[in-house]
Amino acid sequence: MAAVGLAQIPTDLPFQRLTEYYPFISLSAAPIANDTRASENLASPNSTTIFLSLNAAFEQFLAQPPSSPAAGQIESVNFANPALTSDLFQYLQLDGLRPSTSFNGTSFVTTRLNNSTYNHVSGGAKIQVFRNETAFYIKTGINFKSNVVIPDIPFAGGILHIVDHPASPPYDLADTGVVLDITYLMNLTAKENGYTPTIQNTTDTTVFAPSNDAVDSILGTSQTNSTYQQLAEYVVAGSVAYSTNLTDGATLQTVGGQSLVVYNDANGNIFVNSSRVIESDILTQNGVVHIIDR
């Protein structure tokens, strides 16, 4: 097909025909176009917003998925399992028309992924969207960041945003710890500590994870069950508190009964009691993790 300018591309094409004009997303578009459930969603009166990655990035990701022994490395196997593919590609879809101008600053948006095998967040798995005058990107599981390179492509019943990196549905806490080398999460979910069934499968969880250096100070050389019990003091169950919820004066209660008070300083830093949040908003299957300095 001869090159066609963006202004000449029809705005009412069915999703399945978008690759005629945007062949560089054919690989990531195919699983949605060929999936019965996704096709039903696209054909319904309810509008859809979709994020899809460029072919080159998608090919590279399939060839070299995140290097980790994590059992939950679902992306590397999803294309061999049609049912799993169908579930995971729900994570790329949002209900409603969400043009770029509908996003301002940081927001956490509910996706269509709500399979209890992969999600323990009320209402559905979330993605983080950030947009200002100079940047527009999404962040997904295991801290994947995908910059929007072509926004606001209309199609019949929806809007497509093309990104430069595939999205990753959130991992569970244990595998998030393995992939991102977060010692606290690996210790918290270790089977011998007895917390795995509770923490891993608890709906709507916020974890304030001390940095690796801080964990060494907390646990020291005596890494027994009693010292691991201290780790529960950093877990909030029943509430997902993203950075946008950590406003000055907000309070949270941990599963260990400790009260956490949020403080925002003049430089925009977030403190929880005396600990500073040094990395925020790592999305997991049951909520969010924030890394704190102590």
Side-chain angles (χ1 to χ4, degrees), residues 110-138:
T110 301
T111 72
R112 287 178 169 169
L113 176 59
N114 201 13
N115 183 320
S116 60
T117 301
Y118 310 111
N119 174 64
H120 303 293
V121 176
S122 295
K126 304 295 191 289
I127 62 169
Q128 178 182 349
V129 184
F130 177 84
R131 180 182 173 274
N132 63 13
E133 293 181 354
T134 59
F136 182 20
Y137 61 80
I138 62 173

Side-chain angles (χ1 to χ4, degrees), residues 5-293:
L6 290 179
Q8 299 173 274
I9 298 176
T11 60
D12 59 350
L13 287 171
F15 178 84
Q16 290 80 355
R17 289 193 57 202
L18 283 178
T19 54
E20 296 176 20
Y21 297 89
Y22 303 95
F24 43 82
I25 60 165
S26 59
L27 293 177
S28 56
I32 293 180
N34 296 328
D35 177 62
T36 300
R37 179 167 48 159
S39 296
E40 290 173 352
N41 287 341
L42 293 170
S44 74
N46 299 319
S47 51
T48 303
T49 298
I50 301 178
F51 292 90
L52 290 181
S53 65
L54 297 166
N55 283 350
F58 200 68
E59 286 180 314
Q60 182 179 5
F61 174 75
L62 291 180
Q64 296 179 313
S67 177
S68 165
Q73 193 180 114
I74 49 184
E75 296 79 10
S76 61
V77 299
N78 63 1
F79 293 98
N81 183 333
L84 182 56
T85 298
S86 178
D87 285 329
L88 298 184
F89 269 86
Q90 299 295 303
Y91 188 64
L92 304 176
Q93 302 175 49
L94 313 179
D95 285 328
L97 297 178
R98 299 299 306 268
S100 58
T101 53
S102 70
F103 301 106
N104 183 30
T106 298
S107 56
F108 295 87
V109 186
T110 301
T111 72
R112 287 178 169 169
L113 176 59
N114 201 13
N115 183 320
S116 60
T117 301
Y118 310 111
N119 174 64
H120 303 293
V121 176
S122 295
K126 304 295 191 289
I127 62 169
Q128 178 182 349
V129 184
F130 177 84
R131 180 182 173 274
N132 63 13
E133 293 181 354
T134 59
F136 182 20
Y137 61 80
I138 62 173
K139 285 185 69 177
T140 56
I142 54 173
N143 263 357
F144 275 5
K145 178 182 177 182
S146 306
N147 296 294
V148 177
V149 291
I150 306 179
D152 302 318
I153 298 172
F155 62 90
I159 290 177
L160 170 67
H161 303 295
I162 298 177
V163 298
D164 64 358
H165 191 285
S168 169
Y171 286 18
D172 65 23
L173 286 168
D175 289 340
T176 297
V178 172
V179 173
L180 299 181
D181 188 29
I182 303 173
T183 301
Y184 171 83
L185 294 182
M186 290 186 278
N187 283 329
L188 180 70
T189 56
K191 287 184 173 59
E192 62 267 22
N193 300 330
Y195 301 132
T196 299
T198 301
I199 300 300
Q200 289 279 68
N201 299 317
T202 298
T203 298
D204 296 338
T205 300
T206 301
V207 178
F208 294 95
S211 67
N212 289 355
D213 289 341
V215 168
D216 289 341
S217 299
I218 294 168
L219 296 182
T221 58
S222 178
Q223 297 189 12
T224 64
N225 279 356
S226 61
T227 56
Y228 283 124
Q229 183 68 47
Q230 295 176 262
L231 299 179
E233 296 178 1
Y234 299 89
V235 177
V236 177
S239 175
V240 182
Y242 302 106
S243 59
T244 51
N245 303 116
L246 299 178
T247 55
D248 200 47
T251 59
L252 300 163
Q253 182 130 6
T254 72
V255 296
Q258 181 182 8
S259 292
L260 304 178
V261 180
V262 178
Y263 165 67
N264 304 150
D265 71 11
N267 296 317
N269 294 308
I270 299 172
F271 290 83
V272 179
N273 289 353
S274 60
S275 302
R276 181 169 64 91
V277 175
I278 56 177
E279 183 176 358
S280 63
D281 300 317
I282 300 171
L283 303 180
T284 67
Q285 284 184 1
N286 58 349
V288 68
V289 173
H290 306 291
I291 307 298
I292 55 178
D293 64 353

